[in-house]
Amino acid sequence: MAASGVEAAFRMLEGRWKMVIIFQMFAKGTLRFSELERAIPGVSQKMLIQQLRDLERDGLVIRTVYPQVPPKVEYSLTDWGQAMCPALDSLLEWAAARPATTPA
């Protein structure tokens, strides 16, 4: 049971850019597509769009479209996405506490 829950959680977060996108939104809140593009050097437009769609589909990100010219689209974390913050902070602390390894 627990293994399938962990598997489902990792499936939502897998992908090279999803965690970076989520951390940008934790740090800066609501962002426009162009702001995300600038904040994440190296990500292609196609990949950013795909990763944002996946995050939106999984309920972590909300996409808000404003009916104006030119179109304005903003992305932000849902309440459920925001609730992930303590878990990710714990993961970062765990990674930072990695013991030094000695060469064999």
Side-chain angles (χ1 to χ4, degrees):
M1 235 16 203
S4 65
V6 168
E7 192 176 316
F10 281 142
R11 207 174 307 117
M12 279 188 271
L13 300 173
E14 73 183 348
R16 180 173 179 185
W17 302 105
K18 286 182 184 176
M19 294 299 291
V20 177
I21 292 167
I22 289 168
F23 275 108
Q24 287 295 324
M25 289 182 189
F26 278 144
K28 299 175 185 167
T30 300
L31 294 166
R32 294 180 72 171
F33 184 84
S34 59
E35 292 172 320
L36 279 166
E37 254 186 325
R38 281 191 300 274
I40 308 170
V43 67
S44 68
Q45 270 191 355
K46 179 182 176 183
M47 184 55 67
L48 183 56
I49 290 167
Q50 180 182 344
Q51 301 280 272
L52 285 166
R53 284 183 182 158
D54 289 350
L55 290 167
E56 184 181 10
R57 180 200 63 223
D58 291 333
L60 297 168
V61 168
I62 189 164
R63 179 179 186 255
T64 306
V65 180
Y66 297 93
Q68 64 185 50
V69 178
K72 179 180 175 184
V73 179
E74 292 181 336
Y75 296 90
S76 57
L77 291 171
T78 61
D79 289 341
W80 189 58
Q82 282 285 349
M84 195 176 27
C85 187
L88 294 178
D89 283 343
S90 294
L91 184 62
L92 287 173
E93 289 172 19
W94 171 79
R98 180 180 180 186
T101 56
T102 55

